[in-house]
Amino acid sequence: MPLTPDQEAEIAEARATTRPTLRAISDGMEAHLYVAHPVLDHGLIRVVDYMGDDAAICQAARVSYGRGTKAVSDDAGLIRYLMRHWHSTPFEMCEVKFHVKLPVFVARQWIRHRTANVNEYSARYSILDREFYIPAPDQLAAQSTVNNQGRGELLEGAEAQRVLDILREDAMRAYDHYEDMLSTEGQKGLARELARMNLPANIYTQWYWKCDLHNLFHFLRLRADHHAQYEIRVYAQTMCAIVKDWVPQAYAAFEDYRLGGVNLSGKAAEALKRRLAGEAVTFETSGMSRGEWREFCEVWG
Amino acid sequence: MPLTPDQEAEIAEARATTRPTLRAISDGMEAHLYVAHPVLDHGLIRVVDYMGDDAAICQAARVSYGRGTKAVSDDAGLIRYLMRHWHSTPFEMCEVKFHVKLPVFVARQWIRHRTANVNEYSARYSILDREFYIPAPDQLAAQSTVNNQGRGELLEGAEAQRVLDILREDAMRAYDHYEDMLSTEGQKGLARELARMNLPANIYTQWYWKCDLHNLFHFLRLRADHHAQYEIRVYAQTMCAIVKDWVPQAYAAFEDYRLGGVNLSGKAAEALKRRLAGEAVTFETSGMSRGEWREFCEVWG
Amino acid sequence: MPLTPDQEAEIAEARATTRPTLRAISDGMEAHLYVAHPVLDHGLIRVVDYMGDDAAICQAARVSYGRGTKAVSDDAGLIRYLMRHWHSTPFEMCEVKFHVKLPVFVARQWIRHRTANVNEYSARYSILDREFYIPAPDQLAAQSTVNNQGRGELLEGAEAQRVLDILREDAMRAYDHYEDMLSTEGQKGLARELARMNLPANIYTQWYWKCDLHNLFHFLRLRADHHAQYEIRVYAQTMCAIVKDWVPQAYAAFEDYRLGGVNLSGKAAEALKRRLAGEAVTFETSGMSRGEWREFCEVWG
Amino acid sequence: MPLTPDQEAEIAEARATTRPTLRAISDGMEAHLYVAHPVLDHGLIRVVDYMGDDAAICQAARVSYGRGTKAVSDDAGLIRYLMRHWHSTPFEMCEVKFHVKLPVFVARQWIRHRTANVNEYSARYSILDREFYIPAPDQLAAQSTVNNQGRGELLEGAEAQRVLDILREDAMRAYDHYEDMLSTEGQKGLARELARMNLPANIYTQWYWKCDLHNLFHFLRLRADHHAQYEIRVYAQTMCAIVKDWVPQAYAAFEDYRLGGVNLSGKAAEALKRRLAGEAVTFETSGMSRGEWREFCEVWG
């Protein structure tokens, strides 16, 4: 369980009182505010603040004075048009701020998305908690034999147990030693900024992460994809569910054009046109590389 | 007057209804929401949305679970500390969205600040209004004789009148011709994306502009400065007044450390130390260039 | 002709002397260095500097110590793989710096691409030249009747002549008045930062513009597209030809996957699969909007 | 020693052959190209490519056609002017690409500077080497008693020895277990993307990191500062020495205005003015907080 009773109380308190505002509101998002969605064994993600809704996207696209008198169906059509034609700036007009607790090796992938604002818990300033990610048995996978950066079949029996034992014991020992080095009982106590270097990459950290909707969609397209590592994908999927409640029309367009969309190269489009014309295209006549052809067939048979 | 009755009505309607939210609220900012602050002769700036308040800066800096139980005075101290030590990320956790109406030549300076989101009224898609910036007589200045990119003394009498006549007449004629070329009465009518090229740089455009507080402060430091061109400076000053009401503690720190602060070079700091030690530092013994010495003396006498 | 004899001489001098370097070199790009490629009636684009080549993309992707001993064919395959899977960072490892002379209304579209570095000629500091873009007769188009932000058929005869006369005369008059207001003969002379506001959007400006290859590809995908306004598209096309000589493998991948690629929505992919299975998909059974269906049929018949 | 003989040979080969170019060249930087500068116990930093020199900064600021005929002294004056008045864009016109080998906990601080391009060695795709940062005895410091995120006095004797033993033994054990889990001898072998989570934050990683000069200066100002953690500061100092050879005039201006400069708040400037006027300013009459007053006295006595 990721939260202490104190933290639960802080969240409950924050959710107890509403105040009036003149700003745009998303009812779907208000229901999520501050609530901690558990991810992995000790992680969480929760919305701390947001700006805008579906209508705000259209309002910015139209540079209008009011909220607009257009029907909801007009907004949906405009949003689909903007998404289809890669008009990114109206989606940048919505913003969301998350509080995320996540293993360090996930944080290292996540931070590569640069168009976001981040405040991370400082291990120079503070002492990290004794919380480590240990994979569930159904995620303890072998190296893939076909994909150099992916997973293959599950480990089983003694091997799986050995891995879990190693991860748990090394984490506990590393944390014990972290505390030993920091301790000022009978010794000076090592600086926090040095002691932390002994901690493995599955320790949990946390941060505030703020991002606009366009860049969030970009993040989700890459990280909710099945090529993404499982441990970051589960965060992305949790965020997808939240965004769907926040801006349902924009999310529907994103789902159709990005998540569920297909990018065809010129060669692949040509191959499809030949097929539609009744021709039997083969690898040899496709002009594609082995890898491209394999990926093409995965989608188009 | 920058607003039509319809626009006034849209703003009044938007301000008529509050709705409950769980989010952080700034009462000072709620009073500004949607209200059009006039700038220059036909320009305006108004807040369309915002995220966060002073407490949100501290909440992010502390990566905390709740709003925090610290006293307001603790927040003020933390905010001053963050500003003094150039900790920029907590200030990035607040965001604001403006609707701005401004002359094109001001927009061209403004857009150079890249860390912001923008949706501009499209002159490919729509027809621009007949609104041009004509300087007030007290801003009709001659080229500065000491500053290559600044203004000197005011134009007077016949010269001032001639300039105003030129600006008004050329603007009106350009707009008449813009309409003539667009017209489809008895002719095909030139494409809007072409016709607009005849319009001078003092025509008004408008955009939605969204920015985080850290980057807004950077914008304001440069554009509220007396070196900035008057026509953009008045927008920056209007925004300063708004930000002061939104996040009073952060603005106070910004005012003390940035707007009212002084940057000393190593040479300038050395010169001051010698002065404090009783030495009479001259240009010759300062090691500074003429320009630096002049700027140094402007501040320190 | 966009260049003065002095400028021609400066370019010739810059191209006269080579110096030895240890850096990666692109022979195709060396041939372009400093050469002014004319664009529109008075515009130009020329390469001022560059960093990296095709091999540098692979070197960064492999985080290698040397230039790599891999065959050129391996590099081509890796580059195609990176492009296909949206690995953007290796392409960011190449950089190019252009000097561009362009009409202000084109500059205003261009600057919306924010991930680039820009130094523009300052009309606060300097006096602009008397150079204006006047469309060639084969670009003098009417407003499109199907696309709100595009062009339709060409203007002809008296209407075309009238437009050209307006554009030329208004430009010349505006520039005459610009000079009149600036003049210090018998008067104080208006500040440059004010006088410029009388100049129309077809006056030429110039800037240094620096961008990494990934973001340049993004720019080119949007601006070399047939939806882009003609006046910026010709700049993009000139850059495409330059980039093809600079990084031929990366450009080939870009051409296949981006310029010549097709993005299918989930609905469009579904429609294609049904067609491949022999079904006759109609607008009514496609689930697409009118606009999507029209765009779908343009590509797939 | 950070390099293998193979790597040494690759670097020697890259440095063996010069080729002619028309581009701007910095002789000081050519001497650094590819050379590995050792940092910490196993780290390194080396220049892989660069764009521009001091003259390129001025060339961009002037938007000129040639390299410029101005004297070197004019360039130095212009560069100092640009730095003094926060004109950042001309400095963005120079670019540098580094290959860096660094401990993961340093990489995590470094990556917070977002305006840069990065390609990191992938531990999903490849197996990390057995190389860990172990602090030298003169860096084994206790937690500071006055600064929550800094170091105090050195650990000594048995405590120092205990810390070094822990760091070494935990690192070796973690790496042994990493290899055990990856091994496919008699077992399936854990996926690399999972096994890496057992490795502590003092393991070395490496990346290509590319940055423009303006943003590099910003990085160096923060990370070469004495408040920065020692382990990142030594990288920044190595880069300072390289940049000084690359763009000596720009570096001199940076050193005077930024590294050696002093930022005064409005209150601090006021206090200095009162002192210069002969008044004895005390904490009580300064209007500053305790922290500000302490920092003020550190500089001004």
Side-chain angles (χ1 to χ4, degrees), chain B residues 80 84-86 89 92 114 256-257 260-267 273 292 295 299, chain D residues 80 84-86 89 92 112 114 256-257 260-267 273 292 295 299:
Chain B
R80 286 185 64 82
R84 192 161 75 248
H85 291 277
W86 303 88
T89 54
E92 295 172 11
R114 290 166 296 177
D256 190 22
Y257 289 114
V262 178
N263 294 296
L264 295 173
S265 69
K267 282 174 187 157
K273 284 177 185 170
E292 289 168 83
E295 293 168 22
V299 178
Chain D
R80 286 184 64 82
R84 191 160 75 249
H85 290 277
W86 304 90
T89 54
E92 294 172 12
R112 298 306 317 280
R114 290 165 296 175
D256 191 22
Y257 290 112
V262 178
N263 294 298
L264 295 172
S265 69
K267 283 175 186 158
K273 284 176 185 171
E292 290 169 81
E295 294 168 22
V299 178

CSV table of all heavy atoms in Angstrom, one decimal, chain B residues 80 84-86 89 92 114 256-257 260-267 273 292 295 299, chain D residues 80 84-86 89 92 112 114 256-257 260-267 273 292 295 299:
chain,number,residue,atom,x,y,z
B,80,ARG,N,11.2,33.0,-1.3
B,80,ARG,CA,12.4,33.9,-1.4
B,80,ARG,C,13.7,33.1,-1.6
B,80,ARG,O,14.5,33.5,-2.4
B,80,ARG,CB,12.5,34.8,-0.2
B,80,ARG,CG,11.4,36.0,-0.2
B,80,ARG,CD,11.6,36.9,1.0
B,80,ARG,NE,12.9,37.7,0.8
B,80,ARG,CZ,13.1,38.7,0.1
B,80,ARG,NH1,12.0,39.2,-0.6
B,80,ARG,NH2,14.2,39.3,0.0
B,84,ARG,N,16.1,33.3,-4.8
B,84,ARG,CA,17.4,33.8,-4.6
B,84,ARG,C,18.5,32.8,-5.2
B,84,ARG,O,19.5,33.1,-5.7
B,84,ARG,CB,17.7,34.0,-3.1
B,84,ARG,CG,19.0,34.7,-2.8
B,84,ARG,CD,18.9,35.3,-1.4
B,84,ARG,NE,19.1,34.3,-0.3
B,84,ARG,CZ,18.2,34.0,0.5
B,84,ARG,NH1,17.0,34.5,0.5
B,84,ARG,NH2,18.4,33.1,1.5
B,85,HIS,N,18.1,31.5,-5.0
B,85,HIS,CA,19.1,30.4,-5.5
B,85,HIS,C,18.8,29.9,-6.8
B,85,HIS,O,19.2,28.8,-7.2
B,85,HIS,CB,19.2,29.3,-4.4
B,85,HIS,CG,19.8,29.8,-3.2
B,85,HIS,ND1,21.2,29.9,-3.0
B,85,HIS,CD2,19.3,30.3,-2.0
B,85,HIS,CE1,21.5,30.4,-1.8
B,85,HIS,NE2,20.4,30.7,-1.2
B,86,TRP,N,18.0,30.6,-7.6
B,86,TRP,CA,17.7,30.2,-9.0
B,86,TRP,C,17.1,28.8,-9.1
B,86,TRP,O,17.4,28.1,-10.1
B,86,TRP,CB,19.0,30.3,-9.9
B,86,TRP,CG,19.6,31.6,-9.8
B,86,TRP,CD1,20.5,32.1,-8.9
B,86,TRP,CD2,19.3,32.7,-10.7
B,86,TRP,NE1,20.8,33.4,-9.2
B,86,TRP,CE2,20.1,33.8,-10.3
B,86,TRP,CE3,18.5,32.9,-11.8
B,86,TRP,CZ2,20.1,35.1,-11.0
B,86,TRP,CZ3,18.5,34.1,-12.5
B,86,TRP,CH2,19.3,35.2,-12.0
B,89,THR,N,12.3,25.3,-11.1
B,89,THR,CA,11.3,24.4,-11.3
B,89,THR,C,10.0,24.6,-10.5
B,89,THR,O,8.9,24.4,-11.0
B,89,THR,CB,11.8,22.9,-11.2
B,89,THR,OG1,12.4,22.7,-10.0
B,89,THR,CG2,12.8,22.6,-12.4
B,92,GLU,N,7.8,26.9,-12.2
B,92,GLU,CA,7.2,26.3,-13.4
B,92,GLU,C,5.9,25.6,-13.1
B,92,GLU,O,5.1,25.2,-14.1
B,92,GLU,CB,8.1,25.4,-14.1
B,92,GLU,CG,9.4,26.0,-14.6
B,92,GLU,CD,10.5,25.0,-15.1
B,92,GLU,OE1,10.1,23.8,-15.2
B,92,GLU,OE2,11.6,25.4,-15.3
B,114,ARG,N,10.3,31.7,-26.5
B,114,ARG,CA,9.8,30.4,-27.1
B,114,ARG,C,9.1,29.5,-26.2
B,114,ARG,O,8.4,28.6,-26.6
B,114,ARG,CB,11.0,29.7,-27.8
B,114,ARG,CG,11.4,30.5,-29.0
B,114,ARG,CD,12.8,29.9,-29.5
B,114,ARG,NE,13.8,30.2,-28.4
B,114,ARG,CZ,15.0,29.8,-28.5
B,114,ARG,NH1,15.5,29.1,-29.5
B,114,ARG,NH2,15.9,30.2,-27.5
B,256,ASP,N,12.0,41.9,-5.8
B,256,ASP,CA,13.2,42.2,-5.1
B,256,ASP,C,14.4,41.7,-5.8
B,256,ASP,O,15.5,42.3,-5.9
B,256,ASP,CB,13.1,41.6,-3.6
B,256,ASP,CG,14.2,42.1,-2.7
B,256,ASP,OD1,14.8,43.2,-3.0
B,256,ASP,OD2,14.5,41.5,-1.7
B,257,TYR,N,14.4,40.4,-6.2
B,257,TYR,CA,15.6,39.7,-6.8
B,257,TYR,C,15.8,40.0,-8.2
B,257,TYR,O,16.9,39.8,-8.7
B,257,TYR,CB,15.5,38.2,-6.5
B,257,TYR,CG,15.7,37.9,-5.0
B,257,TYR,CD1,14.7,37.3,-4.3
B,257,TYR,CD2,16.9,38.2,-4.4
B,257,TYR,CE1,14.8,37.1,-2.9
B,257,TYR,CE2,17.1,37.9,-3.0
B,257,TYR,CZ,16.0,37.3,-2.3
B,257,TYR,OH,16.2,37.1,-1.0
B,260,GLY,N,14.1,44.5,-9.3
B,260,GLY,CA,14.8,45.5,-8.6
B,260,GLY,C,16.2,45.2,-8.3
B,260,GLY,O,16.9,45.9,-7.7
B,261,GLY,N,16.6,44.0,-8.8
B,261,GLY,CA,18.0,43.5,-8.5
B,261,GLY,C,19.0,44.1,-9.4
B,261,GLY,O,18.7,44.8,-10.4
B,262,VAL,N,20.3,43.9,-9.1
B,262,VAL,CA,21.4,44.4,-9.9
B,262,VAL,C,22.4,43.3,-10.1
B,262,VAL,O,22.7,42.6,-9.2
B,262,VAL,CB,22.1,45.6,-9.1
B,262,VAL,CG1,23.3,46.1,-9.9
B,262,VAL,CG2,21.1,46.7,-8.8
B,263,ASN,N,22.8,43.1,-11.4
B,263,ASN,CA,23.8,42.2,-11.7
B,263,ASN,C,25.2,42.8,-11.8
B,263,ASN,O,25.3,43.8,-12.6
B,263,ASN,CB,23.5,41.5,-13.1
B,263,ASN,CG,22.3,40.7,-13.0
B,263,ASN,OD1,22.2,39.7,-12.3
B,263,ASN,ND2,21.3,41.1,-13.8
B,264,LEU,N,26.1,42.4,-11.0
B,264,LEU,CA,27.4,43.0,-11.0
B,264,LEU,C,28.4,42.0,-11.7
B,264,LEU,O,28.4,40.8,-11.4
B,264,LEU,CB,27.9,43.2,-9.6
B,264,LEU,CG,27.2,44.2,-8.7
B,264,LEU,CD1,27.8,44.2,-7.3
B,264,LEU,CD2,27.4,45.6,-9.3
B,265,SER,N,29.2,42.5,-12.6
B,265,SER,CA,30.3,41.7,-13.2
B,265,SER,C,31.3,41.5,-12.1
B,265,SER,O,31.3,42.2,-11.1
B,265,SER,CB,30.9,42.3,-14.4
B,265,SER,OG,31.6,43.5,-14.0
B,266,GLY,N,32.2,40.6,-12.3
B,266,GLY,CA,33.4,40.5,-11.4
B,266,GLY,C,34.1,41.8,-11.2
B,266,GLY,O,34.5,42.2,-10.1
B,267,LYS,N,34.3,42.5,-12.4
B,267,LYS,CA,35.0,43.8,-12.3
B,267,LYS,C,34.2,44.8,-11.5
B,267,LYS,O,34.8,45.6,-10.8
B,267,LYS,CB,35.2,44.3,-13.7
B,267,LYS,CG,36.4,43.6,-14.4
B,267,LYS,CD,36.5,44.0,-15.9
B,267,LYS,CE,37.6,43.2,-16.6
B,267,LYS,NZ,37.3,43.2,-18.1
B,273,LYS,N,34.0,46.9,-4.0
B,273,LYS,CA,34.7,46.5,-2.8
B,273,LYS,C,35.8,47.5,-2.5
B,273,LYS,O,36.1,47.9,-1.4
B,273,LYS,CB,35.3,45.1,-3.0
B,273,LYS,CG,34.3,44.0,-2.8
B,273,LYS,CD,34.8,42.6,-3.0
B,273,LYS,CE,33.7,41.6,-2.9
B,273,LYS,NZ,34.1,40.3,-3.4
B,292,GLU,N,30.4,49.8,-20.1
B,292,GLU,CA,30.2,49.2,-18.8
B,292,GLU,C,30.3,50.3,-17.7
B,292,GLU,O,29.6,50.3,-16.7
B,292,GLU,CB,31.2,48.1,-18.5
B,292,GLU,CG,31.0,46.8,-19.3
B,292,GLU,CD,32.3,45.9,-19.2
B,292,GLU,OE1,32.4,45.2,-18.2
B,292,GLU,OE2,33.1,46.0,-20.1
B,295,GLU,N,27.3,52.4,-17.5
B,295,GLU,CA,26.1,51.7,-16.9
B,295,GLU,C,26.4,51.6,-15.4
B,295,GLU,O,25.5,51.6,-14.6
B,295,GLU,CB,25.9,50.4,-17.5
B,295,GLU,CG,25.4,50.5,-19.0
B,295,GLU,CD,25.5,49.2,-19.8
B,295,GLU,OE1,25.4,48.1,-19.1
B,295,GLU,OE2,25.5,49.3,-21.0
B,299,VAL,N,24.1,53.4,-11.9
B,299,VAL,CA,23.5,52.7,-10.7
B,299,VAL,C,24.2,53.2,-9.4
B,299,VAL,O,23.6,53.5,-8.4
B,299,VAL,CB,23.7,51.2,-10.8
B,299,VAL,CG1,23.1,50.5,-9.5
B,299,VAL,CG2,23.0,50.7,-12.0
D,80,ARG,N,31.1,41.0,-25.1
D,80,ARG,CA,30.9,41.5,-23.7
D,80,ARG,C,29.5,42.2,-23.6
D,80,ARG,O,28.8,42.0,-22.7
D,80,ARG,CB,32.0,42.4,-23.3
D,80,ARG,CG,33.3,41.6,-23.0
D,80,ARG,CD,34.4,42.5,-22.4
D,80,ARG,NE,34.0,43.1,-21.1
D,80,ARG,CZ,34.2,42.5,-20.0
D,80,ARG,NH1,34.7,41.3,-19.9
D,80,ARG,NH2,33.8,43.1,-18.8
D,84,ARG,N,26.5,41.1,-21.3
D,84,ARG,CA,26.0,42.0,-20.2
D,84,ARG,C,24.5,42.3,-20.3
D,84,ARG,O,23.9,42.4,-19.3
D,84,ARG,CB,26.8,43.3,-20.3
D,84,ARG,CG,26.7,44.3,-19.2
D,84,ARG,CD,27.8,45.3,-19.1
D,84,ARG,NE,27.7,46.3,-20.1
D,84,ARG,CZ,28.5,46.5,-21.1
D,84,ARG,NH1,29.5,45.6,-21.4
D,84,ARG,NH2,28.4,47.5,-21.9
D,85,HIS,N,24.0,42.3,-21.5
D,85,HIS,CA,22.6,42.7,-21.7
D,85,HIS,C,21.7,41.5,-22.0
D,85,HIS,O,20.6,41.6,-22.5
D,85,HIS,CB,22.5,43.7,-22.8
D,85,HIS,CG,23.1,45.1,-22.4
D,85,HIS,ND1,22.4,46.0,-21.7
D,85,HIS,CD2,24.3,45.6,-22.6
D,85,HIS,CE1,23.1,47.1,-21.5
D,85,HIS,NE2,24.3,46.8,-22.0
D,86,TRP,N,22.2,40.3,-21.6
D,86,TRP,CA,21.4,39.1,-21.7
D,86,TRP,C,20.9,38.8,-23.1
D,86,TRP,O,19.8,38.3,-23.2
D,86,TRP,CB,20.2,39.2,-20.7
D,86,TRP,CG,20.7,39.4,-19.3
D,86,TRP,CD1,20.9,40.6,-18.7
D,86,TRP,CD2,21.0,38.4,-18.3
D,86,TRP,NE1,21.4,40.4,-17.4
D,86,TRP,CE2,21.4,39.1,-17.1
D,86,TRP,CE3,21.1,37.0,-18.3
D,86,TRP,CZ2,21.8,38.4,-16.0
D,86,TRP,CZ3,21.4,36.4,-17.1
D,86,TRP,CH2,21.8,37.0,-16.0
D,89,THR,N,20.5,34.9,-27.8
D,89,THR,CA,20.5,34.1,-29.1
D,89,THR,C,21.8,34.0,-29.8
D,89,THR,O,22.0,33.0,-30.4
D,89,THR,CB,19.3,34.7,-30.0
D,89,THR,OG1,19.5,36.1,-30.2
D,89,THR,CG2,18.0,34.4,-29.4
D,92,GLU,N,23.6,31.1,-28.8
D,92,GLU,CA,23.0,29.8,-29.2
D,92,GLU,C,23.4,29.4,-30.6
D,92,GLU,O,23.1,28.2,-31.0
D,92,GLU,CB,21.4,30.0,-29.2
D,92,GLU,CG,20.8,30.3,-27.9
D,92,GLU,CD,19.3,30.6,-28.0
D,92,GLU,OE1,18.7,30.4,-29.0
D,92,GLU,OE2,18.8,31.1,-26.9
D,112,ARG,N,18.5,17.0,-15.8
D,112,ARG,CA,17.5,18.1,-15.5
D,112,ARG,C,17.7,19.3,-16.3
D,112,ARG,O,16.7,20.1,-16.5
D,112,ARG,CB,17.6,18.4,-14.0
D,112,ARG,CG,17.3,17.3,-13.0
D,112,ARG,CD,15.9,16.7,-13.3
D,112,ARG,NE,14.9,17.7,-13.6
D,112,ARG,CZ,14.3,18.4,-12.7
D,112,ARG,NH1,14.5,18.1,-11.5
D,112,ARG,NH2,13.4,19.3,-13.1
D,114,ARG,N,17.2,20.6,-19.6
D,114,ARG,CA,16.5,20.0,-20.6
D,114,ARG,C,16.8,20.5,-22.0
D,114,ARG,O,16.5,19.8,-23.0
D,114,ARG,CB,15.0,20.2,-20.4
D,114,ARG,CG,14.4,19.4,-19.2
D,114,ARG,CD,13.1,20.0,-18.8
D,114,ARG,NE,13.2,21.4,-18.3
D,114,ARG,CZ,12.2,22.1,-18.0
D,114,ARG,NH1,11.0,21.7,-18.1
D,114,ARG,NH2,12.4,23.4,-17.6
D,256,ASP,N,33.5,36.8,-16.4
D,256,ASP,CA,33.4,38.1,-15.7
D,256,ASP,C,31.9,38.3,-15.3
D,256,ASP,O,31.7,38.8,-14.1
D,256,ASP,CB,33.9,39.2,-16.6
D,256,ASP,CG,34.0,40.5,-15.9
D,256,ASP,OD1,34.1,40.5,-14.6
D,256,ASP,OD2,34.0,41.6,-16.5
D,257,TYR,N,31.0,38.1,-16.2
D,257,TYR,CA,29.6,38.4,-15.9
D,257,TYR,C,28.8,37.4,-15.2
D,257,TYR,O,27.8,37.7,-14.5
D,257,TYR,CB,28.9,38.8,-17.2
D,257,TYR,CG,29.3,40.1,-17.8
D,257,TYR,CD1,30.0,40.2,-18.9
D,257,TYR,CD2,29.1,41.3,-17.1
D,257,TYR,CE1,30.5,41.4,-19.5
D,257,TYR,CE2,29.6,42.5,-17.6
D,257,TYR,CZ,30.3,42.5,-18.8
D,257,TYR,OH,30.7,43.7,-19.3
D,260,GLY,N,31.9,34.9,-12.2
D,260,GLY,CA,32.5,35.8,-11.2
D,260,GLY,C,31.6,36.9,-10.8
D,260,GLY,O,32.0,37.8,-10.0
D,261,GLY,N,30.4,36.9,-11.4
D,261,GLY,CA,29.5,38.0,-11.1
D,261,GLY,C,28.7,37.9,-9.8
D,261,GLY,O,28.8,36.8,-9.2
D,262,VAL,N,28.0,38.9,-9.4
D,262,VAL,CA,27.3,38.9,-8.2
D,262,VAL,C,25.9,39.4,-8.5
D,262,VAL,O,25.7,40.4,-9.1
D,262,VAL,CB,27.9,39.8,-7.1
D,262,VAL,CG1,27.1,39.8,-5.8
D,262,VAL,CG2,29.3,39.3,-6.8
D,263,ASN,N,24.8,38.7,-8.0
D,263,ASN,CA,23.5,39.2,-8.1
D,263,ASN,C,23.1,39.8,-6.8
D,263,ASN,O,23.1,39.2,-5.8
D,263,ASN,CB,22.5,38.0,-8.5
D,263,ASN,CG,22.8,37.4,-9.8
D,263,ASN,OD1,22.7,38.1,-10.8
D,263,ASN,ND2,23.2,36.1,-9.8
D,264,LEU,N,22.7,41.0,-6.9
D,264,LEU,CA,22.2,41.7,-5.7
D,264,LEU,C,20.7,41.9,-5.8
D,264,LEU,O,20.1,42.3,-6.9
D,264,LEU,CB,22.8,43.2,-5.7
D,264,LEU,CG,24.3,43.3,-5.5
D,264,LEU,CD1,24.7,44.7,-5.7
D,264,LEU,CD2,24.7,42.7,-4.1
D,265,SER,N,20.0,41.6,-4.7
D,265,SER,CA,18.6,41.9,-4.6
D,265,SER,C,18.4,43.4,-4.5
D,265,SER,O,19.4,44.1,-4.2
D,265,SER,CB,17.9,41.2,-3.4
D,265,SER,OG,18.4,41.8,-2.3
D,266,GLY,N,17.2,43.9,-4.7
D,266,GLY,CA,17.0,45.3,-4.4
D,266,GLY,C,17.4,45.7,-3.0
D,266,GLY,O,18.0,46.8,-2.8
D,267,LYS,N,17.1,44.9,-2.1
D,267,LYS,CA,17.5,45.2,-0.7
D,267,LYS,C,19.0,45.2,-0.5
D,267,LYS,O,19.5,46.0,0.2
D,267,LYS,CB,16.9,44.1,0.3
D,267,LYS,CG,15.4,44.4,0.5
D,267,LYS,CD,14.8,43.2,1.4
D,267,LYS,CE,13.3,43.4,1.5
D,267,LYS,NZ,12.7,42.1,1.8
D,273,LYS,N,24.4,50.7,-1.1
D,273,LYS,CA,24.4,52.2,-1.4
D,273,LYS,C,24.5,53.0,0.0
D,273,LYS,O,25.2,54.0,0.1
D,273,LYS,CB,23.1,52.6,-2.1
D,273,LYS,CG,23.2,52.2,-3.6
D,273,LYS,CD,21.9,52.6,-4.3
D,273,LYS,CE,22.0,52.1,-5.8
D,273,LYS,NZ,20.7,52.2,-6.5
D,292,GLU,N,19.6,35.5,3.8
D,292,GLU,CA,20.1,36.5,2.9
D,292,GLU,C,21.2,37.3,3.5
D,292,GLU,O,22.2,37.6,2.8
D,292,GLU,CB,19.0,37.5,2.5
D,292,GLU,CG,17.9,36.9,1.6
D,292,GLU,CD,16.7,37.8,1.5
D,292,GLU,OE1,16.7,38.7,0.7
D,292,GLU,OE2,15.7,37.6,2.3
D,295,GLU,N,24.4,35.3,3.5
D,295,GLU,CA,25.0,35.3,2.2
D,295,GLU,C,25.6,36.6,1.7
D,295,GLU,O,26.6,36.7,1.1
D,295,GLU,CB,24.0,34.8,1.2
D,295,GLU,CG,23.6,33.3,1.4
D,295,GLU,CD,22.4,32.9,0.6
D,295,GLU,OE1,22.1,33.5,-0.4
D,295,GLU,OE2,21.7,31.9,1.0
D,299,VAL,N,29.9,37.8,0.9
D,299,VAL,CA,30.5,38.5,-0.2
D,299,VAL,C,31.1,39.9,0.2
D,299,VAL,O,32.2,40.2,-0.3
D,299,VAL,CB,29.4,38.7,-1.3
D,299,VAL,CG1,30.0,39.4,-2.5
D,299,VAL,CG2,28.9,37.3,-1.8
